[in-house]
Structure formats: structure tokens, C-alpha cells
Amino acid sequence: MATIKVKFRASSVEMKEGSLYYQVIHNRLARQVHTGYKLFPSEWDAGISEIVMDSGTEGGRRNYLLSVKTALADDLSRFRSIIARLERSDVMYTADKVVELFSSPADCGGFVSFARQLIKELKQIGKRRTAETYTTVLNSFLRFRGERDLLFGEVDSNLMVEYETFLKGCDVCPNSSSFYMRNLRAIYNRAVERELTVQRYPFRHVYTGVDKTVKRAVPLKVIRQIRDLDLTLSPMLDYAKDLFLFSFYTRGMSFVDMAYLKKKDLQNGVLAYRRQKTGQQLFIRWEKPMQEIIDKYDTSGTPYLLPIIRDMKEDARKQYKSEAHRENQSLKKIGKLLGLAIPLTSYVARHSWASIAKSKNIPIATISEAMGHDSENTTRIYLASLDTTVVDKANSLILKSL
């Protein structure tokens, strides 16, 4: 196994600082890596290969020496991690290879470096949604950690508990915190699969489950209020209202599916499309209110049915995401205009359609097929969290009978 040592080379000029360097030895071959750090001979103990400070060292010099000690410890840990990885690979390697991996900025010896490389690979093979998710998660982790990379050995249970505490301090809800943890775990597990590190189960003491959340739905009367709003003096809000209603009219179609609808998908009075999330194909009979919304907007320069993706020269997914954000911002303003108790978002249209269908005693199987769920069980779980008013009324009756 290769060994790594820190060495000090004194200056040939008396009273001048000397240089620190790393010595990598493997199979009796030695290689050197300069650290860039300078020390006076009195500040280095060759016997223990450590920086020493006497009682007279103070102020800026003391801070400098402390920072060098920290940097040396980090570099040595990185060297050891690289050597351990090479040993696990069961492939012959040299001291030059150790130096190459240490010196390469593209080296995946660090967790952050590996995550960035993985994101790049995912984009190259077309898995953009996963790449975007990992980017979001990594950015959150870097807000906690800072920009400095860390070794896989530093990704331990204590660090993840600290990160979870950081998220709680930022008022991140448990489900969002779990989302970050699950995806960080996925990145870490990929590194384990590639034998870049051993499995240390750093996520075993943080929450990675999914809490049951109350879905947001509004009753039919609110849908009517939204439909009847006169927003002609506010084109952006009027546009947001139309997209919301289109989603409701099309059995709660998700915004991403609406964005990618094409004119060719509408034929002989039937709208046929595949869900972006599951790939399931759905068929919707074309109704008059759907056509009225389509007729309001000019999409002659695009193949799309709705004016969400407008510029054929720009990235379509980037436009969709931007429009989705703008849509929800506008819908929240509409919700405030109506005095709604819940934030109005594009998801509310989908949840409301399911809730209203349930209130109309439409069979579960029909609702499941209409929404493109993969099973009736999924629909039951979905509907179970949509509306608790029936249970609330039952509880109220019991309390009143006391």
C-alpha cells in the first residue's frame, strides 16, 4: 500500500522560510507534491512531522499556522481516501497515479465533486429530471456545508444529523427535508456502487420517510368563482386563470402535461396524450370550454396546443419550468382576490377535480382511470387525504351530543 508523509525542506538562505511538501511512496518509488505552504525551521518538528507553535507565536502568524495545520490534515485525509479507493479496485497502480488523482480538479475523490460529475453524466444520457433534482438537493447541501468539498469518509451520520437540524432551522417541512435526504442518499449509494467508498449508512439517523399530507382542494362553487372572475385588465392573471381552468376541464391534467400537449394530439374531438410522469396514455373528449380557452391564444408559430412553450429556439423544459413558477405566483394572487383560505396553485385544479368527482359519487375505478393512476389503490390513498369534511362533521355531531 502506498504511504503518504509531510516533509519540510529548509531554505538554503539562512533565516528564510522553507517549504512543505507531500511525499508519496509506493513500491519503493517516491513522488513529491508541493503544498505551497512556507514555514520557518523553528515551526516544524521533523520527529513527529507536525507544525509546532511556542508561547511567543501570536496574532496573524498563529492564525496562519493553524490554517496550514487544518489544510494539511484535509489533504492527508484526501490522499488516504484516494489510496484506499485504489487498493479496493484490485488494479495495479503507481505513486504517479496517486499524485495524478490528488492533483486533478476533476477527481471524484470528494462527495461534492462526485455529485457534480454524476449530474453531468445524467444530463448527457437524457435523464434531465433526475439531474435537476440532484442539482436542487446539492445546492441545498452546499448552503449548509459551504463550497468546500468533503471526503466520503466525512459523510457520516453526525454530518447528516447536523444537516437535518440546519433544514429544520430554515423552517423546511419534514417531507422536504426527507426529499433532500433521500436524494443525497441516492447520490451516496451510486458512489458505493462504483466502489468509490464503502457503505457507512450515514442516513440511518435522519428522517427519510413521507408524511401523509392534506391535499388542497376547493369545492365546485370556488371553481365557478374562478371561472366567472373578470380579469381582462390583468392579462397575466387572466392567462393563469385560463390554464387553471383548462387543467380542471381536462380531469386535473398536470401542468407539465399541458405544456407538452401538441396540436396533433387533438383529433376527431378527442385529446390523446401520455402522462410525463408515468407514460400512461389518456383520452379526453374535447369539450366547448376547452376550445374557448385554446381560441384565446395565438400559437401559430409552435406545434403546441397551449402558449406555455413559445420559443422553438430555446430549451423547452426550461420554458415549462419558468411558466410553471409564473403560473403559481399568479394563481396565489387570484386566491387572495377571492379570499381563499388555502394557497391557489396549479395542483389545486387536479385535487379539486378528484374531490368533486368523489362528492358526486363517481366510482373509484372511474376516477382512477380519469386521473391516470396506475391502480385504484393509488386513487384511494389520493382521495383519502383530499377531504376530511365528512369526518369533521361526524366528530362535530358527536361532540354536540355530549
Side-chain angles (χ1 to χ4, degrees):
M1 178 184 288
T3 59
I4 175 71
K5 295 180 180 179
V6 185
K7 296 282 189 176
F8 175 72
R9 181 182 295 113
S11 172
S12 58
V13 180
E14 191 176 355
M15 301 301 292
K16 189 175 181 180
E17 292 173 305
S19 302
L20 284 175
Y21 64 94
Y22 301 114
Q23 185 182 67
V24 181
I25 303 175
H26 186 52
N27 291 335
R28 299 182 180 180
L29 183 66
R31 289 291 181 264
Q32 296 179 3
V33 179
H34 295 286
T35 68
Y37 304 122
K38 301 285 187 177
L39 298 180
F40 291 107
S42 61
E43 296 169 333
W44 181 252
D45 188 327
I48 57 174
S49 296
E50 283 190 9
I51 293 173
V52 292
M53 291 175 280
D54 57 34
S55 57
T57 306
E58 58 184 23
R61 188 62 185 178
R62 184 177 185 83
N63 291 336
Y64 168 75
L65 294 177
L66 288 173
S67 67
V68 172
K69 287 188 73 170
T70 300
L72 292 177
D74 289 344
D75 283 351
L76 288 173
S77 292
R78 186 160 173 246
F79 265 120
R80 292 181 186 118
S81 178
I82 291 169
I83 292 168
R85 188 178 60 186
L86 291 170
E87 288 288 331
R88 285 195 303 272
S89 69
D90 291 329
V91 176
M92 295 290 290
Y93 69 93
T94 63
D96 288 315
K97 184 63 177 178
V98 175
V99 172
E100 176 192 339
L101 291 175
F102 178 83
S103 304
S104 172
D107 171 45
C108 292
F111 178 73
V112 174
S113 298
F114 171 74
R116 286 173 172 155
Q117 180 63 29
L118 178 60
I119 290 167
K120 183 179 178 181
E121 292 172 7
L122 289 168
K123 288 179 179 178
Q124 289 172 343
I125 62 175
K127 294 190 175 182
R128 295 184 60 184
R129 289 182 65 180
T130 305
E132 289 170 359
T133 297
Y134 286 177
T135 299
T136 299
V137 170
L138 185 61
N139 287 340
S140 169
F141 184 69
L142 289 175
R143 283 193 290 274
F144 155 70
R145 173 70 185 177
E147 289 298 320
R148 190 177 72 83
D149 205 345
L150 69 165
L151 299 167
F152 281 105
E154 297 178 87
V155 183
D156 57 16
S157 179
N158 289 336
L159 180 68
M160 290 303 116
V161 169
E162 289 175 16
Y163 178 43
E164 186 176 56
T165 303
F166 167 81
L167 293 173
K168 288 178 182 177
C170 296
D171 294 325
V172 174
C173 70
N175 275 350
S176 294
S177 176
S178 175
F179 168 80
Y180 293 133
M181 294 298 177
R182 292 196 311 273
N183 283 283
L184 275 181
R185 183 176 61 189
I187 295 170
Y188 180 86
N189 287 342
R190 293 222 190 189
V192 173
E193 289 172 3
R194 298 185 188 187
E195 298 185 344
L196 299 179
T197 183
V198 295
Q199 180 61 268
R200 296 182 178 86
Y201 304 101
F203 300 89
R204 63 185 179 276
H205 294 313
V206 295
Y207 181 64
T208 55
V210 180
D211 281 351
K212 185 177 179 180
T213 57
V214 177
K215 303 292 185 182
R216 300 300 187 182
V218 294
L220 194 57
K221 67 177 182 179
V222 173
I223 300 295
R224 290 196 190 101
Q225 287 178 325
I226 295 171
R227 180 197 63 189
D228 296 338
L229 269 178
D230 183 2
L231 297 171
T232 52
L233 297 179
S234 302
M236 284 299 297
L237 297 188
D238 195 44
Y239 168 67
K241 180 192 80 169
D242 287 339
L243 293 183
F244 179 90
L245 291 172
F246 187 89
S247 172
F248 182 81
Y249 296 156
T250 53
R251 308 190 314 232
M253 186 185 296
S254 68
F255 193 84
V256 65
D257 290 333
M258 287 166 52
Y260 287 95
L261 284 178
K262 293 190 173 180
K263 294 166 186 173
K264 66 180 181 180
D265 296 332
L266 177 58
Q267 295 183 20
N268 302 319
V270 176
L271 181 65
Y273 74 99
R274 289 191 182 275
R275 291 195 66 199
Q276 293 282 323
K277 184 176 182 180
T278 64
Q280 183 177 354
Q281 189 167 28
L282 298 179
F283 301 91
I284 300 174
R285 187 173 68 184
W286 196 247
E287 303 284 358
K288 182 181 177 181
M290 304 173 193
Q291 186 63 46
E292 289 174 347
I293 290 174
I294 296 300
D295 289 341
K296 283 180 65 174
Y297 300 96
D298 180 14
T299 59
S300 57
T302 79
Y304 297 105
L305 197 61
L306 290 164
I308 297 173
I309 300 171
R310 300 186 180 95
D311 192 337
M312 296 302 97
K313 295 180 181 179
E314 295 294 326
D315 183 77
R317 185 164 180 82
K318 186 176 181 181
Q319 290 182 72
Y320 140 67
K321 293 188 73 176
S322 176
E323 285 296 302
H325 177 74
R326 189 177 292 112
E327 167 77 359
N328 284 324
Q329 292 299 109
S330 296
L331 287 177
K332 287 175 183 177
K333 293 178 182 178
I334 293 173
K336 289 180 180 178
L337 285 175
L338 294 174
L340 299 184
I342 64 168
L344 191 64
T345 68
S346 58
Y347 288 109
V348 173
R350 182 171 177 82
H351 300 157
S352 298
W353 191 91
S355 181
I356 292 167
K358 179 186 177 186
S359 71
K360 299 292 183 182
N361 296 316
I362 294 173
I364 294 290
T366 304
I367 298 174
S368 179
E369 184 176 349
M371 303 192 73
H373 286 160
D374 53 6
S375 71
E376 288 185 31
N377 187 51
T378 300
T379 309
R380 287 191 177 92
I381 295 170
Y382 189 89
L383 289 171
S385 61
L386 275 173
D387 189 2
T388 60
T389 54
V390 175
V391 178
D392 291 338
K393 287 179 181 178
N395 186 50
S396 181
L397 285 172
I398 293 170
L399 295 180
K400 288 178 180 177
S401 67
L402 289 174

